[in-house]
Amino acid sequence: MVYMVSDGVETCDGDPVTAAKQLQNQSIKAKVNIIGFDVDNEGQKQLKQVADSGGGEYVTVNDPADLEVQITKKWQPTIGELVWTQGVTLQQMTAAMERMNEIYNPLYRVSDAEWNRIKDAAYFLHDEKVITDDVEKQVLKLAHSQHDLRNKHFQAIKEEKESERDRAAKEINDKVEKWRQQWQ
């Protein structure tokens, strides 16, 4: 990937369109991406031709802030590239997230189902006059308390795992920022 920042049309008597084609056609299959910085219409037209010939993209920016955003957007490595450099494949990361969901989601469903079964049983027994109002209230209160306790425990586990994920993401983002600072 080749990234070029230009402020206008070619002025050195060269042929950038042909040069971009030649570079793109080499065995390395380079792609020429161009960022036009505050470029007039004629310059934009030529720079777009160069990018097209080089198999890349052309974008225009008008000020230093836009330029920084574009460079960061285009040059920042993808999460996949960063994960790969950390020795973890995207498949491993996806599999780990799926395992977490396979554990976490059923826990909530089971907890909710248990709470609903106990409520339904208490209502039924009360309606059938097997238990009193006070016993029904005690059963519902205890069942609700247990439901909340389970869900708080599950939530704490989830938050701990999310915190681990956030720490890993921060570590990766810090590396990206350090890498990005090299190019400023």
Side-chain angles (χ1 to χ4, degrees), residues 8 44 59-60 69 85-86 117 125 169-170 177 180:
Q44 286 187 38
V59 295
T60 301
V69 167
T85 64
Q86 297 299 308
R117 279 192 297 275
L125 292 173
K170 183 182 181 326
E177 182 60 24
R180 189 179 70 79

Side-chain angles (χ1 to χ4, degrees), residues 97-184:
M97 292 170 72
E98 286 174 0
R99 283 192 308 275
M100 182 65 180
N101 286 336
E102 288 170 2
I103 294 167
Y104 182 73
N105 293 338
L107 292 174
Y108 269 106
R109 285 194 294 273
V110 168
S111 179
D112 289 345
E114 180 70 9
W115 163 233
N116 287 324
R117 279 192 297 275
I118 293 172
K119 282 192 310 186
D120 290 345
Y123 295 148
F124 174 79
L125 292 173
H126 181 261
D127 290 346
E128 294 294 316
K129 308 283 190 235
V130 175
I131 61 174
T132 65
D133 290 350
D134 287 340
V135 171
E136 177 192 41
K137 287 178 186 173
Q138 289 175 359
V139 167
L140 293 174
K141 182 178 178 182
L142 181 59
H144 186 264
S145 172
Q146 291 298 312
H147 179 257
D148 283 350
L149 182 65
R150 284 188 303 268
N151 287 353
K152 285 178 184 175
H153 178 69
F154 302 153
Q155 185 64 31
I157 293 170
K158 182 180 180 191
E159 287 172 1
E160 179 184 333
K161 294 301 178 185
E162 287 173 343
S163 178
E164 289 173 15
R165 180 200 62 212
D166 292 345
R167 281 192 300 274
K170 183 182 181 326
E171 183 180 319
I172 290 170
N173 287 339
D174 289 347
K175 288 180 180 181
V176 169
E177 182 60 24
K178 184 177 178 181
W179 179 85
R180 189 179 70 79
Q181 293 294 329
Q182 294 174 6
W183 300 101
Q184 289 184 343

Side-chain angles (χ1 to χ4, degrees), residues 11-125:
T11 57
C12 300
D13 299 324
D15 186 354
V17 172
T18 301
K21 280 183 187 176
Q22 289 173 344
L23 184 59
Q24 201 273 333
N25 289 330
Q26 291 181 4
S27 63
I28 60 171
K29 298 293 182 198
K31 292 191 184 279
V32 178
N33 298 291
I34 300 179
I35 301 171
F37 183 75
D38 197 23
V39 179
D40 63 18
N41 287 339
E42 179 186 354
Q44 286 187 38
K45 188 175 179 181
Q46 184 185 47
L47 293 173
K48 177 148 180 33
Q49 287 176 330
V50 175
D52 289 344
S53 297
E57 297 177 36
Y58 172 74
V59 295
T60 301
V61 297
N62 294 317
D63 57 52
D66 287 343
L67 178 62
E68 181 178 352
V69 167
Q70 190 62 36
I71 288 173
T72 301
K73 177 181 168 189
K74 291 293 181 184
W75 286 359
Q76 186 171 359
T78 66
I79 187 71
E81 291 168 332
L82 290 171
V83 167
W84 179 79
T85 64
Q86 297 299 308
V88 178
T89 67
L90 192 54
Q91 291 87 356
Q92 289 170 320
M93 186 173 75
T94 302
M97 292 170 72
E98 286 174 0
R99 283 192 308 275
M100 182 65 180
N101 286 336
E102 288 170 2
I103 294 167
Y104 182 73
N105 293 338
L107 292 174
Y108 269 106
R109 285 194 294 273
V110 168
S111 179
D112 289 345
E114 180 70 9
W115 163 233
N116 287 324
R117 279 192 297 275
I118 293 172
K119 282 192 310 186
D120 290 345
Y123 295 148
F124 174 79
L125 292 173

